[in-house]
Amino acid sequence: MIAVVAGSTRGTGRGIAVALGAAGATVYCTGRSTRAARSEMNRPETIEETADLVTAAGGTGVAVQVDHLDPAQVAELAARVEREQGRLDVLVNDVWGSDHLWEWDTPVWKHDMDKGFRLLRLAIDTHIISSRHLMPLLIRNEGGLVVEVTDGTWSFNETRYRENVYYDLAKMSVNRLAFAWSNELRPHGGTGVAVTPGFLRSEAMLENFGVTEDTWREAKVDSAWMVSETPAYVGRGVAALAQDPDRRRWSGRSVSSEELAAAYGLTDVDGSRPRVWSYITEVREKSGDTGWEAYR
């Protein structure tokens, strides 16, 4: 399996890249942060670290510095994959890089507009640019898979306003992109799916709450955090999807990590099967921060 995980420096992207590596894939790990230079996110994680983790998991990790807003850089990435591999089986669009740009629960007239438009470019334009240049390689053989990574399924986001207009548009748009790709890939036997993790214990989130992966339960957060998951959980789901010979049944859908885990019999690294989206809709929104134990 030959894969490109666009935006695999950290978080969900890293989790997916490593899980694909565990399935034996060659994974091109792309992003802006390298050991030589950080992106505007100014975080320590690098694409080289992700590539090393992919290789350690059993695959072959290849770190490639790419700004996915630059079509020329993405075109060069596609040319390199073609030159070195001759094909592409899986494209994961996980570029985000906008944590520093959005403001929680802020109306449009108060939100910084330049930051908002920058967020939309990073969250949406990057995915389209990557698809534009990498899909021609993907469709050369039947069975290609494109995964769009978002926050919240279509059905969840459809009836809930997600924090502010820019974030809301970004996450709903990525869901729609997966539907678009499912239509464009159908004549070529390909599959397009949107996937969302639950409450993610990413590097940044753990740091923000002042805990580690070993002490995460000590964080003073709402009950949904107690149903949180590691990046490996959604990674395992995407890897199972990529290896499923009948994966086209998912095409056009917007699904969560918990749905993939249930379908493929997967667990998180601690053996649990977190169901945070079900918890939020079935319990927390109706009766408050109780009963989370049944959803982990």
PDB file of all heavy atoms in Angstrom, residues 13-25:
ATOM      1  N   GLY A  13      -3.435  13.089  12.083  1.00  0.00           N
ATOM      2  CA  GLY A  13      -2.633  12.728  10.918  1.00  0.00           C
ATOM      3  C   GLY A  13      -1.516  11.765  11.274  1.00  0.00           C
ATOM      4  O   GLY A  13      -1.266  10.784  10.570  1.00  0.00           O
ATOM      5  N   ARG A  14      -0.853  12.052  12.382  1.00  0.00           N
ATOM      6  CA  ARG A  14       0.212  11.147  12.829  1.00  0.00           C
ATOM      7  C   ARG A  14      -0.363   9.784  13.198  1.00  0.00           C
ATOM      8  O   ARG A  14       0.207   8.744  12.857  1.00  0.00           O
ATOM      9  CB  ARG A  14       0.969  11.753  14.014  1.00  0.00           C
ATOM     10  CG  ARG A  14       2.017  10.821  14.596  1.00  0.00           C
ATOM     11  CD  ARG A  14       2.851  11.485  15.683  1.00  0.00           C
ATOM     12  NE  ARG A  14       3.835  12.409  15.108  1.00  0.00           N
ATOM     13  CZ  ARG A  14       4.795  13.011  15.821  1.00  0.00           C
ATOM     14  NH1 ARG A  14       4.875  12.810  17.133  1.00  0.00           N
ATOM     15  NH2 ARG A  14       5.662  13.818  15.231  1.00  0.00           N
ATOM     16  N   GLY A  15      -1.492   9.771  13.903  1.00  0.00           N
ATOM     17  CA  GLY A  15      -2.107   8.508  14.280  1.00  0.00           C
ATOM     18  C   GLY A  15      -2.467   7.656  13.075  1.00  0.00           C
ATOM     19  O   GLY A  15      -2.266   6.437  13.074  1.00  0.00           O
ATOM     20  N   ILE A  16      -2.986   8.297  12.024  1.00  0.00           N
ATOM     21  CA  ILE A  16      -3.350   7.569  10.810  1.00  0.00           C
ATOM     22  C   ILE A  16      -2.110   7.069  10.094  1.00  0.00           C
ATOM     23  O   ILE A  16      -2.050   5.915   9.633  1.00  0.00           O
ATOM     24  CB  ILE A  16      -4.202   8.462   9.888  1.00  0.00           C
ATOM     25  CG1 ILE A  16      -5.565   8.739  10.534  1.00  0.00           C
ATOM     26  CG2 ILE A  16      -4.373   7.819   8.509  1.00  0.00           C
ATOM     27  CD1 ILE A  16      -6.406   9.761   9.791  1.00  0.00           C
ATOM     28  N   ALA A  17      -1.094   7.915   9.986  1.00  0.00           N
ATOM     29  CA  ALA A  17       0.133   7.523   9.299  1.00  0.00           C
ATOM     30  C   ALA A  17       0.765   6.305   9.971  1.00  0.00           C
ATOM     31  O   ALA A  17       1.174   5.341   9.300  1.00  0.00           O
ATOM     32  CB  ALA A  17       1.114   8.689   9.277  1.00  0.00           C
ATOM     33  N   VAL A  18       0.839   6.321  11.297  1.00  0.00           N
ATOM     34  CA  VAL A  18       1.466   5.214  12.025  1.00  0.00           C
ATOM     35  C   VAL A  18       0.642   3.936  11.877  1.00  0.00           C
ATOM     36  O   VAL A  18       1.200   2.839  11.702  1.00  0.00           O
ATOM     37  CB  VAL A  18       1.649   5.584  13.507  1.00  0.00           C
ATOM     38  CG1 VAL A  18       2.142   4.382  14.308  1.00  0.00           C
ATOM     39  CG2 VAL A  18       2.640   6.741  13.637  1.00  0.00           C
ATOM     40  N   ALA A  19      -0.679   4.050  11.923  1.00  0.00           N
ATOM     41  CA  ALA A  19      -1.520   2.863  11.761  1.00  0.00           C
ATOM     42  C   ALA A  19      -1.387   2.273  10.357  1.00  0.00           C
ATOM     43  O   ALA A  19      -1.380   1.043  10.195  1.00  0.00           O
ATOM     44  CB  ALA A  19      -2.978   3.214  12.045  1.00  0.00           C
ATOM     45  N   LEU A  20      -1.274   3.116   9.363  1.00  0.00           N
ATOM     46  CA  LEU A  20      -1.032   2.618   8.001  1.00  0.00           C
ATOM     47  C   LEU A  20       0.337   1.942   7.929  1.00  0.00           C
ATOM     48  O   LEU A  20       0.500   0.914   7.265  1.00  0.00           O
ATOM     49  CB  LEU A  20      -1.121   3.764   6.994  1.00  0.00           C
ATOM     50  CG  LEU A  20      -2.524   4.325   6.738  1.00  0.00           C
ATOM     51  CD1 LEU A  20      -2.441   5.602   5.904  1.00  0.00           C
ATOM     52  CD2 LEU A  20      -3.416   3.301   6.036  1.00  0.00           C
ATOM     53  N   GLY A  21       1.305   2.502   8.632  1.00  0.00           N
ATOM     54  CA  GLY A  21       2.615   1.867   8.694  1.00  0.00           C
ATOM     55  C   GLY A  21       2.541   0.490   9.329  1.00  0.00           C
ATOM     56  O   GLY A  21       3.176  -0.461   8.865  1.00  0.00           O
ATOM     57  N   ALA A  22       1.737   0.367  10.390  1.00  0.00           N
ATOM     58  CA  ALA A  22       1.571  -0.930  11.047  1.00  0.00           C
ATOM     59  C   ALA A  22       0.937  -1.953  10.116  1.00  0.00           C
ATOM     60  O   ALA A  22       1.109  -3.164  10.302  1.00  0.00           O
ATOM     61  CB  ALA A  22       0.719  -0.760  12.307  1.00  0.00           C
ATOM     62  N   ALA A  23       0.206  -1.458   9.110  1.00  0.00           N
ATOM     63  CA  ALA A  23      -0.385  -2.348   8.105  1.00  0.00           C
ATOM     64  C   ALA A  23       0.591  -2.642   6.974  1.00  0.00           C
ATOM     65  O   ALA A  23       0.235  -3.316   6.002  1.00  0.00           O
ATOM     66  CB  ALA A  23      -1.661  -1.722   7.544  1.00  0.00           C
ATOM     67  N   GLY A  24       1.824  -2.133   7.097  1.00  0.00           N
ATOM     68  CA  GLY A  24       2.861  -2.418   6.110  1.00  0.00           C
ATOM     69  C   GLY A  24       2.975  -1.409   4.990  1.00  0.00           C
ATOM     70  O   GLY A  24       3.711  -1.645   4.016  1.00  0.00           O
ATOM     71  N   ALA A  25       2.291  -0.285   5.097  1.00  0.00           N
ATOM     72  CA  ALA A  25       2.275   0.696   4.012  1.00  0.00           C
ATOM     73  C   ALA A  25       3.549   1.521   3.959  1.00  0.00           C
ATOM     74  O   ALA A  25       4.241   1.715   4.960  1.00  0.00           O
ATOM     75  CB  ALA A  25       1.077   1.634   4.179  1.00  0.00           C
TER      76      ALA A  25
END
